[in-house]
Amino acid sequence: MAALRRYRTVVSDSALWADFPFRAGDVVVSPPAKCGTTWMQMMCALLIFDKTEFDRPLTEISPWLDATTYDTAATLATLGSQQHRRFIKTHTPLDGLPFREDVTYLCVGRDPRDVMLSFENATANIHPDAMPPAGLDMQPPPPDQLDRFWLWANSDLVDDTSSFGVTLANLVNHVRTFWDRRDEPQVGLFHYADLKADLPGELRRLAQLLSIEVSDERIEELAAAATFDHMRGRADDLAPGVDAKLWRSNENFFRSGTSGQWRRLLDPVALDRYHRRVAELAPPDVADWLHRP
């Protein structure tokens, strides 16, 4: 077995997965940041519990195992006490996770340009008392948004504690680790655009992947609870980090859920430059899939 690649950011360390006691049937929810992690956690919760209301916040039901901003011992104790089928959050690519045939691994990809703008909105919503961690020496971003875009696009892969690890290179690398194993029966690769276009259909695909039997009528009922507007209305229960008071506004974590806002930022010359950079990082099939309409 190949050694696991270690991924670190200012808020996570994949080494925390090394000795995790998996159970058969566990589900690992591992999209890149701002690609639909909470959405996929909600879809798993709806199917696993066959409910639309839960008795505690989603972040407690599906904790972020390798987050260094939480008490790891407490997280492991929570997961150890759970009697239901567990579904565990991470932002670690597949080559940094222990891979077992009796565990399901889920990823969601998204147009990287939308990811960059979504991350900007999220960082603007972080409460000043919450992030970054005390003592961290992070360089302030450029004041101009287009300059920030090129810094994100041109940065190399980050796997240390110098940043949040949200770069174009990190996103492409993350998706490629799933793309290369997408045909394996315990790997599920979803796209944000497909979730927006046909949420019941994608929920049905997830149910099949998890071997959960559910009627078409029930799929429609469950999908209604996973729409963006419905989740935004339940932000205090569904947004990550609510227990740590991470956000200025929990509701604004679900800011818009729209795609294509990058069109206001990138003119044709900038788009050409962007696609040249993507071609340096991703083979054509992965690039085409990521940028599907």
Side-chain angles (χ1 to χ4, degrees), residues 84-105:
H84 60 77
R85 186 175 184 180
R86 303 182 301 183
F87 51 108
I88 309 155
K89 171 183 174 177
T90 183
H91 291 307
T92 295
L94 193 54
D95 62 351
L97 298 169
F99 194 80
R100 291 177 37 143
E101 293 184 356
D102 56 357
V103 172
T104 303
Y105 300 83

Side-chain angles (χ1 to χ4, degrees), residues 211-225:
S211 300
I212 295 175
E213 295 187 8
V214 58
S215 70
D216 291 341
E217 181 181 6
R218 187 58 174 160
I219 281 286
E220 294 289 341
E221 294 170 350
L222 296 176

Side-chain angles (χ1 to χ4, degrees), residues 15 37 40 60-61 66 73 89 109 115-116 129 163 174 196-197 206 213 218 220 227 252 259 268:
T37 309
M40 183 54 68
E60 294 181 19
I61 300 172
D66 50 0
K89 171 183 174 177
V115 171
M116 186 272 176
D129 294 339
S163 79
H174 192 135
K196 286 177 63 67
L206 177 61
E213 295 187 8
R218 187 58 174 160
E220 294 289 341
T227 62
N252 283 348
S259 302

Side-chain angles (χ1 to χ4, degrees), residues 175-208:
V175 170
R176 286 188 69 175
T177 65
F178 277 84
W179 180 268
D180 291 344
R181 305 187 74 163
R182 66 193 185 280
D183 293 329
E184 299 190 35
Q186 68 271 44
V187 175
L189 182 58
F190 294 76
H191 198 289
Y192 193 94
D194 295 333
L195 298 181
K196 286 177 63 67
D198 182 13
L199 185 55
E202 292 300 282
L203 191 60
R204 164 65 69 191
R205 185 161 79 91
L206 177 61
Q208 293 170 344

